[in-house]
Amino acid sequence: MKLVTFLHSGKERTGVLSGKTIRPFQGDPSLLSVIRSGALPPFAGGSLSLEDVRLLAPIPRPEGDIICLGMNFRDHTVEAARFDPVMKRENKAVYFSKRTVEATPPGGKIPSHRDLTQMLDYEAEIAFVLGRDAANVSPDEARECVFGYTILNDVSARDLQTAHKQFYFGKSLDGFTPMGPCIVTADEFSYPPDIPIRCYVNGEKRQDGSTRHWVFSIADVLCELSRGMTLKSGTVISMGTPAGVGMGSSPPKYLKPGDTVRCEADGIGVLENTVE
Ligand code: MG
């Protein structure tokens, strides 16, 4: 099942997408509240055409920072360490957070923030959304904690992340979290998931990976983090990007205004955004 948040007649609404048709939920509860309630709300009756609405990020305003993994694909670890030797992964997962005041919708603009960065980069990723509060999760319980999956572009200002010795600022500028086009419930995928993810910039394929190549799995992440910190239902955890980001090219291929970044994931859809 594909859950969407969308604008229709100026109102933020939610529902289930199948093909090109959306069945809206009665009362349009936020997807965050739907996920937390543990049950699907009733439908409003009737349906809408996808063409008559504007999709928003499925969770437009995440509660709390998004939790991200860095260097969770071996091939990306190699290119990242070439760019900055500090970004060498040891045998522990690299966690960081990404502030997202408002997630950028499918088709939305990625601000280039030219006053702050000359090294704007993309990272196509699969993120999962927690469907329950997670504390002291065992490996066997991890699967049940996953509500579903979405595409997230972990837009990054490389010069800021290097200058500040920390990913936080360089990953958290306004508009740096394109997300969508939907959340697909976990039952539509195998577990552990094997979701192909690709990224194109102006039509040129830059990234081509699959979640089966994650170094640290969902179970690894949930078991480790939830030992010491409770993770709330609705938390978004983005699992890292494969090789092929702009900083990995030589010379680097950073984004510039007018560029189009298209992230695709089989079974989820397309998340396309233009830099402005
Ligand atoms: Mg990333």
Side-chain angles (χ1 to χ4, degrees):
M1 188 167 49
K2 292 180 169 171
L3 299 176
V4 287
T5 300
F6 57 95
L7 275 181
H8 179 243
S9 300
K11 188 172 171 234
E12 190 169 312
R13 308 192 64 184
T14 52
V16 173
L17 172 70
S18 41
K20 301 265 186 204
T21 303
I22 297 171
R23 294 181 73 196
F25 291 133
Q26 196 175 87
D28 299 301
S30 71
L31 290 193
L32 207 48
S33 65
V34 170
I35 291 164
R36 286 180 174 165
S37 73
L40 214 58
F43 290 106
S47 63
L48 297 166
S49 167
L50 186 57
E51 287 164 11
D52 295 332
V53 310
R54 189 149 67 83
L55 287 182
L56 298 175
I59 301 179
R61 293 165 298 280
E63 202 175 276
D65 293 347
I66 289 169
I67 297 174
C68 298
L69 272 85
M71 277 75 81
N72 201 31
F73 284 79
R74 283 199 176 79
D75 54 2
H76 174 61
T77 306
V78 172
E79 68 177 2
R82 210 163 45 221
F83 173 80
D84 182 351
V86 170
M87 288 198 274
K88 192 162 136 298
R89 187 177 54 77
E90 305 296 343
N91 55 356
K92 290 283 188 187
V94 174
Y95 300 115
F96 63 94
S97 61
K98 184 174 179 77
R99 172 134 304 211
T100 304
V101 174
E102 180 120 28
T104 303
K109 304 282 190 204
I110 300 170
S112 55
H113 293 283
R114 293 300 249 197
D115 53 333
L116 285 170
T117 178
Q118 303 302 313
M119 296 185 180
L120 185 69
D121 211 345
Y122 52 86
E123 295 188 354
E125 308 195 358
I126 298 296
F128 70 94
V129 184
L130 279 178
R132 58 175 68 177
D133 291 354
N136 293 311
V137 171
S138 70
D140 290 344
E141 294 167 333
R143 179 180 192 165
E144 296 155 30
C145 295
V146 180
F147 177 84
Y149 301 93
T150 190
I151 305 171
L152 190 146
N153 184 350
D154 179 18
V155 178
S156 306
R158 302 300 183 196
D159 34 8
L160 288 184
Q161 71 180 52
T162 306
H164 292 274
K165 313 281 183 223
Q166 250 271 2
F167 294 150
Y168 193 67
F169 186 34
K171 300 272 194 178
S172 298
L173 300 185
D174 289 344
F176 270 21
T177 310
M179 188 201 298
C182 55
I183 294 171
V184 185
T185 49
D187 58 300
E188 297 212 3
F189 296 96
S190 57
Y191 183 88
D194 179 5
I195 307 173
I197 174 127
R198 296 171 295 277
C199 180
Y200 299 81
V201 177
N202 302 329
E204 180 194 356
K205 193 198 272 183
R206 298 280 184 88
Q207 296 186 280
D208 189 353
S210 167
T211 61
R212 74 173 185 275
H213 294 129
W214 284 337
V215 176
F216 295 98
S217 67
I218 288 172
D220 292 335
V221 169
L222 285 183
C223 294
E224 182 161 61
L225 290 182
S226 75
R227 275 186 72 190
M229 62 194 252
T230 301
L231 303 169
K232 297 294 285 180
S233 174
T235 297
V236 179
I237 302 181
S238 199
M239 292 292 285
T241 201
V245 299
M247 72 171 173
S249 283
S250 114
K253 293 179 175 174
Y254 295 118
L255 297 172
K256 56 185 187 313
D259 285 349
T260 296
V261 187
R262 178 185 172 94
C263 305
E264 293 178 353
D266 294 358
I268 301 177
V270 171
L271 173 66
E272 185 171 296
N273 299 92
T274 303
V275 179
E276 73 170 0

